[in-house]
DNA sequence: AATGGGGCCTGAGAGC
DNA sequence: TGCTCTCAGGCCCCAT
């Protein structure tokens, strides 16, 4: 499940390969992959023959600003990725390769997404604050503007669980199941607790935990879970799965106290946590 | 306004 | 072995 670290990893990996390169052709194999654009034809027209300036990230999306004052936004959904196919590689597009950008030097950028929750959108301009796609988006958790005071304020009067709050992109962007479970473990907070019950002290710990978990995962090129679905731009697995404490570790022993990690349903989702460490 | 729940979608894994 | 069923998850939309 690509979240912030996975999107950041891919964005960094492709940067040198796409910066300053012109898209000489675009093919869409599955219209659903560009469903928010008027049509696949319109999408192709808007991006082809323009030059990619660089690659960056907002939340769980990868951004490719173009020299025609438009920006390609790649939302990875839950199984999406961007693969870099270098010039000398044979065309290895499979049935889940929905969009292919061919660059002027022969390299290709493939949007692959088996579960098709992801999509590619084109927005006008380069300023993410003006993008309809990101309307209502919250703090970038690795930015200095996200600190314990901002988190504590977000929690105020919120009846829903702290895990639901962290996963809602309107509060903080880029955090999904993996990193909310892991951050709450590190800060010793029960994910089911109402957000409003989080004290300032706990907000301090949780903020540090979020930044630490995300940064460490970026260093490991992200998390490839049990199904191994996630792969980076070079087709490799991320290695953060070996450092997980609770996510997909239900039934195993807690690395800290030895208790059995639980995976229990709560308000329409299931949460991994240590019943002894997390209060 | 805030919150909860259903649906989209496919592949992996469980159960028979 | 091979079929069917359930589940995972981000994110949108709708009901309350």
């Amino acid at each position: 499940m690509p979240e912030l670290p996975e999107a950041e990893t891919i964005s960094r990996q492709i940067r040198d390969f796409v910066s300053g390169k012109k898209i000489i052709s675009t093919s869409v194999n599955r219209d659903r992959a560009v469903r928010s654009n008027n049509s696949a034809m319109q999408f192709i027209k808007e991006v082809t023959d323009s030059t990619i300036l660089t690659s960056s990230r907002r939340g769980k999306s990868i951004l490719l600003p173009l020299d025609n004052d438009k920006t390609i936004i790649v939302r990875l959904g839950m199984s999406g990725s961007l693969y870099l196919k270098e010039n000398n590689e044979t065309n290895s597009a499979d049935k889940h390769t929905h969009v292919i950008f061919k660059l002027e030097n022969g390299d290709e950028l493939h949007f692959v997404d088996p579960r098709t929750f992801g999509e590619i959108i084109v927005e006008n301009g380069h300023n993410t604050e003006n993008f309809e796609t990101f309307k209502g988006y919250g703090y970038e958790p690795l930015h200095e503007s996200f600190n314990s005071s901002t988190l504590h304020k977000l929690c105020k009067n919120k009846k829903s669980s702290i895990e639901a709050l962290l996963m809602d992109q309107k509060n903080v962007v880029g955090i999904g199941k993996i990193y909310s479970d892991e951050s709450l473990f590190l800060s010793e907070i029960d994910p089911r607790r109402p957000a409003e019950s989080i004290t300032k002290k706990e907000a301090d710990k949780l903020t540090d935990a979020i930044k630490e978990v995300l940064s460490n995962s970026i260093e490991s090129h992200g998390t490839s879970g049990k199904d191994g679905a996630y792969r980076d731009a070079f087709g490799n697995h991320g290695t953060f799965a070996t450092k997980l404490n609770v996510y997909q570790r239900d039934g195993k022993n807690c690395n800290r106290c030895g208790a059995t990690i639980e995976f229990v349903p709560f308000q329409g989702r299931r949460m991994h946590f240590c019943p002894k460490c997390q209060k």
Side-chain angles (χ1 to χ4, degrees), chain A residues 8-69:
Chain A
E8 180 68 28
T9 297
I10 294 169
S11 164
R12 288 183 189 181
Q13 288 177 329
I14 66 173
R15 192 167 300 146
D16 285 348
F17 291 87
V18 301
S19 297
K21 302 279 166 36
K22 184 189 262 197
I23 299 171
I24 56 167
S25 73
T26 310
S27 55
V28 175
N29 301 328
R30 192 183 175 114
D31 286 357
R32 188 180 152 74
V34 294
R35 58 190 175 276
S36 293
N37 301 280
N38 285 335
S39 66
M41 200 93 87
Q42 172 78 12
F43 167 77
I44 291 166
K45 205 172 144 192
E46 283 188 325
V47 303
T48 310
D49 290 327
S50 59
T51 297
I52 301 172
L53 300 175
T54 184
S55 61
S56 58
R57 180 195 59 76
R58 171 81 171 123
K60 303 171 188 172
S61 298
I62 295 162
L63 308 175
L64 300 172
L66 305 175
D67 70 344
N68 64 357
D69 202 35

Side-chain angles (χ1 to χ4, degrees), chain A residues 1-12 56-62 74-82 137 140-142 163 166-169 172-184 210 213-215 217-218 221-225 229-232 240 244 247-248 269-270 272:
Chain A
M1 306 88 243
E3 302 177 26
L4 185 152
E6 291 75 24
E8 180 68 28
T9 297
I10 294 169
S11 164
R12 288 183 189 181
S56 58
R57 180 195 59 76
R58 171 81 171 123
K60 303 171 188 172
S61 298
I62 295 162
V74 182
R75 308 187 72 146
L76 299 172
M78 72 171 286
S79 63
S81 192
L82 277 179
Y137 259 34
E140 276 291 340
L142 292 178
E163 170 138 324
L166 292 182
M167 287 176 62
D168 187 340
Q169 305 300 297
V172 196
V173 299
I175 300 175
K177 280 292 303 166
I178 304 172
Y179 302 108
S180 58
D181 281 348
E182 291 299 312
S183 303
L184 288 161
I210 290 168
V213 167
L214 295 176
S215 305
S217 181
I218 291 171
H221 290 179
T223 304
S224 297
Y230 164 74
R231 286 168 185 271
D232 66 18
F240 195 68
L244 296 173
Y247 180 77
Q248 289 186 344
R269 64 185 89 232
R270 295 181 78 192
H272 301 85

